Amino acid sequence: MSHLKSVIRVGFFAVSFLLATSCVKDVDLEQAQDITLNPDIDVDLVQYQLNENDFIDSETGDFTPVIRDTVRLEFLNDTYVQDALQYAEFRFRHENTFPYSISSKIRFLSDNGREQFSVNYEIPPGAENVPGVIDTLHVVGSGDIKKVRRSIQMALELQLNGGDSKIKGGLDFLSKGLFKFEF
């Protein structure tokens, strides 16, 4: 038994020695400043579902063809994130069951409300069983990435092109962002 223990100890020390020397042997500590991390972050930005009641003004009860809302993109309001952001990709998807087209205007604003860039498109009309669908991709590369870095708010505006207080239907919206960083 003691002979077996000796063999195991020698084997353990030999393997430990090989592991320790092989891990350190190829490391150049002067290259540590050249190490970069390039994470990609995929986030949900805004989602909503509208119906005909959302086109009725809550204060007056009157039909309004325009809906507006603004949300803050707090995760972009960070110096560390803004400095490292290299690329952004925005995806906007609408499914429309209203029988009218809808104009969509999505504006990205700085903290003081100045427009940095916008994404505008028409959402096709649809029906209950056959929605009008549009899936839009907006890419911001290194040349315009400063516009995204300065964007802290996302202002959404929808304009129903036709219709009145008797409209029926719905509008689903999904938006996502893919952000690439270099730290």
Side-chain angles (χ1 to χ4, degrees):
M1 264 302 185
S2 66
H3 179 47
L4 182 61
K5 287 183 183 178
S6 298
V7 170
I8 291 174
R9 276 193 197 138
V10 170
F12 175 75
F13 286 118
V15 169
S16 297
F17 177 76
L18 287 172
L19 287 175
T21 58
S22 66
C23 291
V24 176
K25 195 175 195 178
D26 296 325
V27 175
D28 183 0
L29 296 177
E30 291 180 15
Q31 293 179 345
Q33 69 274 6
D34 297 334
I35 296 173
T36 61
L37 298 174
N38 300 68
D40 295 353
I41 299 173
D42 192 9
V43 297
D44 290 332
L45 296 174
V46 176
Q47 295 180 3
Y48 59 74
Q49 292 179 322
L50 302 177
N51 62 37
E52 55 273 359
N53 295 326
D54 293 302
F55 288 95
I56 304 299
D57 187 297
S58 60
E59 293 177 12
T60 65
D62 294 335
F63 171 76
T64 178
V66 178
I67 295 176
R68 292 182 183 94
D69 195 13
T70 302
V71 295
R72 288 187 59 81
L73 305 174
E74 289 297 335
F75 67 95
L76 288 176
N77 195 15
D78 180 273
T79 305
Y80 191 65
V81 168
Q82 289 177 357
D83 291 344
L85 184 62
Q86 302 297 311
Y87 172 92
E89 186 177 286
F90 298 96
R91 179 180 178 217
F92 307 106
R93 179 179 171 82
H94 280 94
E95 291 187 16
N96 181 16
T97 59
F98 287 109
Y100 304 100
S101 68
I102 299 174
S103 299
S104 174
K105 185 174 187 178
I106 302 171
R107 299 180 311 134
F108 289 82
L109 310 173
S110 64
D111 207 21
N112 61 6
R114 287 198 175 125
E115 184 175 312
Q116 301 303 304
F117 66 98
S118 67
V119 182
N120 306 316
Y121 52 88
E122 290 292 314
I123 306 163
E128 187 65 34
N129 295 330
V130 186
V133 177
I134 186 163
D135 202 338
T136 302
L137 189 66
H138 183 80
V139 175
V140 181
S142 60
D144 289 329
I145 201 65
K146 289 180 183 178
K147 294 176 182 178
V148 177
R149 291 176 183 160
R150 291 189 302 254
S151 298
I152 305 304
Q153 302 175 69
M154 189 167 101
L156 304 140
E157 180 179 305
L158 299 168
Q159 181 169 345
L160 187 64
N161 299 317
D164 57 25
S165 61
K166 296 177 183 157
I167 61 167
K168 296 288 181 203
L171 181 68
D172 294 345
F173 177 64
L174 169 71
S175 62
K176 292 182 173 267
L178 172 66
F179 300 94
K180 295 184 179 198
F181 298 92
E182 184 176 292
F183 296 102

